[in-house]
């Protein structure tokens, strides 16, 4: 696994308030957003905000108050087979698999693993996240129609 961060997603209680804060106070412009999630393009990675309950559901957890934190670190790859291979490799090294690879509701493919302090890493192939040849985030495509 290469040393990189593709996306940091933070689980929040009030997405509208968080989005307004970053847009109005920091004067940031989302690169992609809809009623459920917002993404800001940072210096080489994406910062996302997502409802805490939705984040827990996506990771197959009952909630994010017992062990897991209300954020995920994401490692994006270009294909579903890369997700499968990376998760299999991590499992052979004793990494805890929280959610096995599977298709997502938005057309992507992901899995979740946890570090020794239960910090979640999403291993994902996301058709909306454009990566360059080195695996760095270039942009997030529009999600208005999701």
């Amino acid at each position: 696994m290469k040393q990189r961060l593709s996306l940091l997603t933070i689980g929040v209680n009030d997405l509208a308030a968080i989005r307004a804060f970053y847009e109005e106070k920091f004067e940031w412009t989302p690169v992609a957003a809809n009623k459920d999630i917002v993404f800001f393009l940072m210096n080489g990675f994406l910062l996302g905000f997502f409802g805490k309950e939705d984040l827990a559901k996506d990771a197959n957890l009952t909630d994010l108050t017992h062990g897991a934190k209300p954020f995920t670190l994401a490692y994006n790859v270009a294909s579903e087979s890369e997700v499968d291979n990376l998760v299999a490799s991590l499992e052979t090294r004793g990494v805890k698999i929280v959610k096995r690879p599977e298709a997502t509701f938005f057309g992507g493919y992901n899995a979740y693993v946890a570090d020794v302090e239960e910090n979640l890493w999403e291993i994902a192939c996301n058709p909306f996240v454009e990566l360059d040849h080195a695996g760095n985030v270039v942009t997030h495509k529009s999600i208005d129609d999701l």
Side-chain angles (χ1 to χ4, degrees):
M1 185 168 170
K2 294 180 182 174
Q3 188 172 315
R4 73 170 188 245
L5 177 65
S6 306
L7 201 143
L8 171 63
T9 303
I10 300 173
V12 298
N13 291 314
D14 187 339
L15 182 63
I18 287 291
R19 180 176 177 178
F21 174 86
Y22 284 97
E23 288 184 52
E24 296 168 13
K25 306 298 183 189
F26 282 17
E27 298 180 334
W28 288 1
T29 302
V31 68
N34 64 24
K35 65 180 179 45
D36 299 313
I37 197 163
V38 60
F39 295 100
F40 296 94
L41 181 61
M42 308 304 281
N43 56 324
F45 73 96
L46 292 165
L47 174 62
F49 295 97
F50 193 39
K52 285 193 324 189
E53 292 81 14
D54 293 328
L55 183 60
K57 182 179 176 183
D58 190 47
N60 286 345
L61 298 172
T62 55
D63 63 50
L64 290 176
T65 59
H66 296 91
K69 281 80 170 174
F71 68 88
T72 61
L73 302 165
Y75 187 90
N76 285 40
V77 295
S79 70
E80 292 180 9
S81 63
E82 287 181 83
V83 172
D84 291 336
N85 293 337
L86 183 52
V87 170
S89 175
L90 293 171
E91 187 170 28
T92 65
R93 290 183 245 156
V95 174
K96 178 181 177 182
I97 308 303
V98 176
K99 175 186 171 186
R100 299 231 166 252
E102 65 180 44
T104 65
F105 70 93
F106 60 86
Y109 189 75
N110 72 357
Y112 282 88
V113 301
D115 69 15
V116 296
E117 291 192 8
E118 298 299 317
N119 293 303
L120 292 175
W121 276 89
E122 178 189 24
I123 311 298
C125 173
N126 183 331
F128 296 100
V129 175
E130 184 180 334
L131 304 174
D132 68 13
H133 67 281
N136 297 316
V137 172
V138 174
T139 192
H140 196 295
K141 297 173 186 172
S142 174
I143 55 174
D144 294 341
D145 295 331
L146 282 184

